[in-house]
Amino acid sequence: MVCPCGLLTRQEEPVPLKSISVTLSICEFVAGVSATLNYENEEKVPLEAFFVFPMDEDSAVYSFEAMVDGKKIMAELQDKMKAHSDYEDAISQGHQAFLLEEDKCSRDVFCCNVGNLQPGSKAELTLKYVQELPLEADGALRYVLPAILNPRYELSGWPEDSCLKMKTPVVPLEDLPYTLSMVATISSQHGIQNIQCNCPLSLIEYLGDDKTSAQITLADGHKFDRDVELLIYYSEVHTPSVAVEMGKPTTKPDCLMGDPCAMVSFYPNIPEAQPPITRGEFVFLMDRSGSMQCPMSKQNKSQLRIEAAKETLTLLLKSLPMGCYFNVYGFGSRYEAFFPRSVRYTQLTMEQALRRVKLMRADLGGTEILAPLKNIYSGHSIRGHPLQLFVFTDGEVIDTFSVIDEVQSNSLRHSFLLMGT
């Protein structure tokens, strides 16, 4: 079930919203938003109404006030349970009351309980909040004023009093009873390069020759049928900046709002990490002695050692990085190499090697690995491609100590991996 937002009564009937006006102030990477909602009770009976509206979850509300029939009401921050209790008491006594709270299930949905609206009463709600603006990949700051909450699905088990369960009316665009007006002021110490908007604008005015501030106005008559999105490009987005805001002298002692605060914006220009260039000379030595024709175990129909080794070698050959070098040796009483020297790994050389792997047999007699090792070590190293040896054998190697000495004496120029079968 998709649950959008709306202005509703307790009976989930729509209350006509007359207009929305937004004043937006963007300083560097932070936006200050003041949204004013105007609506009217056109019924002949009092209504208890609430308005559900979306907000970025990184936002912080710092002010909420209401003007009803010339009477101004300021909100104060209270414990959630106490706020609910005070609100219910006021409503039960027929008094005007307002309650603004965050939804239990979604941090980007807020529910404003408007309270009792007498017939013909007009109410003006003003909500003020701040939010940090996200950065796009191209360095633009992005501000979005959502027309409605992004569609989401209601989950079983959600609280019955979640404001996401409320219904909202669906009407044609031309019949929307309200419009949106928006004025935005943008400022940056290092200049504004460009401003883009997905909705028609009536004005874009850059203030000053250095273009450190700009003012834009949304075109009249906007029906709020889609999100309003601003993309802001600063001239020096990676240059650190500091903004200082003085506190309010009229606030109570020890109140955070009474102290000055500073905001440091630091967006470092970190270059994208380049993928490492995989290099290496990969040489595979395949034991093709007679013992490799034996099964892997004593179980019936057990795979032959040579076949198991060929499967692993095939997988490794298909997994090598393009641009490296490789070769394959088969050894027994003598040895054979696929190529006279290691070749660059390409689609063509890989396919050639795979065809020869299929033809490998355990038909080279004994297990003499020393000769092919000496041949590999005597060759010239390929600059920038360290040697890596992979040996497939069942372990029945002749002259074991000489083989170990040969490998140890060349240990600084290669890595060695032994795979048993």
Side-chain angles (χ1 to χ4, degrees):
M1 176 181 176
V2 178
C3 302
C5 307
L7 183 69
L8 308 167
T9 67
R10 282 295 179 190
Q11 292 73 38
E12 298 186 349
E13 295 294 330
V15 176
L17 178 66
K18 297 301 182 180
S19 65
I20 305 174
S21 61
V22 176
T23 301
L24 174 64
S25 176
I26 297 177
C27 178
E28 304 296 352
F29 295 84
V30 174
V33 184
S34 175
T36 301
L37 315 171
N38 292 279
Y39 54 94
E40 179 181 359
N41 179 13
E42 298 178 346
E43 301 294 328
K44 297 181 180 180
V45 294
L47 295 176
E48 183 187 357
F50 44 84
F51 186 72
V52 182
F53 57 98
M55 184 181 296
D56 190 279
E57 66 173 2
D58 292 328
S59 303
V61 177
Y62 67 89
S63 175
F64 176 59
E65 61 184 46
M67 182 74 72
V68 180
D69 296 331
K71 184 178 180 181
K72 187 176 183 180
I73 301 174
M74 295 290 295
E76 64 178 28
L77 185 64
Q78 291 185 352
D79 175 77
K80 191 167 187 176
M81 297 301 296
K82 184 178 186 305
H84 272 277
S85 177
D86 291 349
Y87 174 77
E88 295 295 340
D89 290 344
I91 293 298
S92 64
Q93 297 175 22
H95 298 157
Q96 189 71 50
F98 298 84
L99 179 65
L100 176 70
E101 63 179 332
E102 184 181 88
D103 183 68
K104 294 180 180 180
C105 302
S106 178
R107 295 193 61 187
D108 59 354
V109 183
F110 278 75
C111 180
C112 170
N113 286 275
V114 178
N116 288 325
L117 284 181
Q118 299 301 319
S121 290
K122 297 180 180 180
E124 178 183 280
L125 301 182
T126 300
L127 176 75
K128 297 179 181 180
Y129 61 94
V130 293
Q131 70 177 95
E132 182 181 359
L133 299 181
L135 278 159
E136 300 295 289
D138 61 353
L141 275 77
R142 181 172 179 262
Y143 170 77
V144 176
L145 182 68
I148 58 171
L149 187 67
N150 291 333
R152 59 186 65 195
Y153 291 91
E154 177 184 303
L155 303 178
S156 60
W158 275 16
E160 290 297 325
D161 58 348
S162 169
C163 59
L164 290 179
K165 289 182 174 288
M166 304 171 186
K167 299 178 182 178
T168 190
V170 178
V171 297
L173 175 62
E174 60 273 11
D175 295 335
L176 280 176
Y178 58 86
T179 57
L180 168 71
S181 63
M182 187 182 80
V183 177
T185 301
I186 304 165
S187 60
S188 172
Q189 301 176 27
H190 306 289
I192 302 169
Q193 185 179 16
N194 188 24
I195 301 173
Q196 299 177 8
C197 183
N198 66 328
C199 298
L201 300 174
S202 63
L203 176 68
I204 300 182
E205 182 182 3
Y206 292 97
L207 308 177
D209 297 334
D210 52 1
K211 298 177 69 173
T212 54
S213 63
Q215 188 174 67
I216 65 172
T217 304
L218 201 63
D220 293 338
H222 181 69
K223 287 293 186 179
F224 214 6
D225 55 314
R226 61 188 181 277
D227 293 351
V228 178
E229 179 182 88
L230 292 177
L231 293 177
I232 303 159
Y233 295 85
Y234 291 146
S235 300
E236 300 291 341
V237 69
H238 297 293
T239 303
S241 60
V242 179
V244 179
E245 184 170 337
M246 302 306 296
K248 295 182 178 180
T250 56
T251 56
K252 297 178 181 179
D254 300 327
C255 177
L256 179 63
M257 299 298 291
D259 298 328
C261 61
M263 177 186 68
V264 179
S265 301
F266 180 61
Y267 174 40
N269 186 13
I270 301 176
E272 293 185 5
Q274 297 297 323
I277 301 175
T278 305
R279 299 179 181 273
E281 180 187 5
F282 301 89
V283 178
F284 303 93
L285 288 88
M286 173 68 77
D287 187 348
R288 291 176 55 187
S289 63
S291 60
M292 291 290 287
Q293 190 62 29
C294 298
M296 294 284 292
S297 68
K298 295 181 179 180
Q299 297 179 355
N300 292 333
K301 298 182 179 180
S302 178
Q303 189 179 29
L304 300 180
R305 296 175 183 176
I306 186 68
E307 296 302 325
K310 286 165 60 176
E311 286 184 2
T312 304
L313 178 57
T314 298
L315 177 62
L316 291 175
L317 287 174
K318 291 182 177 180
S319 304
L320 292 179
M322 289 293 180
C324 71
Y325 287 80
F326 80 105
N327 204 350
V328 179
Y329 284 75
F331 67 92
S333 299
R334 57 187 176 87
Y335 66 89
E336 299 174 353
F338 283 9
F339 309 100
R341 63 181 60 86
S342 294
V343 296
R344 184 176 288 274
Y345 181 78
T346 64
Q347 185 70 26
L348 176 61
T349 57
M350 179 196 70
E351 292 174 353
Q352 291 174 350
L354 292 177
R355 285 195 295 267
R356 297 195 62 175
V357 169
K358 291 181 180 180
L359 300 176
M360 278 183 159
R361 299 291 181 267
D363 55 2
L364 293 184
T367 313
E368 301 178 19
I369 192 175
L370 185 59
L373 283 175
K374 287 184 175 182
N375 177 267
I376 293 169
Y377 292 144
S378 64
H380 294 291
S381 300
I382 302 175
R383 187 176 181 179
H385 293 269
L387 177 63
Q388 301 182 54
L389 294 182
F390 296 80
V391 179
F392 299 84
T393 180
D394 58 8
E396 300 178 13
V397 176
I398 298 174
D399 197 4
T400 304
F401 291 107
S402 297
V403 172
I404 293 174
D405 290 341
E406 184 70 21
V407 172
Q408 286 182 338
S409 64
N410 291 276
S411 60
L412 296 179
R413 56 172 295 198
H414 79 299
S415 59
F416 189 94
L417 179 63
L418 181 65
M419 298 184 178
T421 56

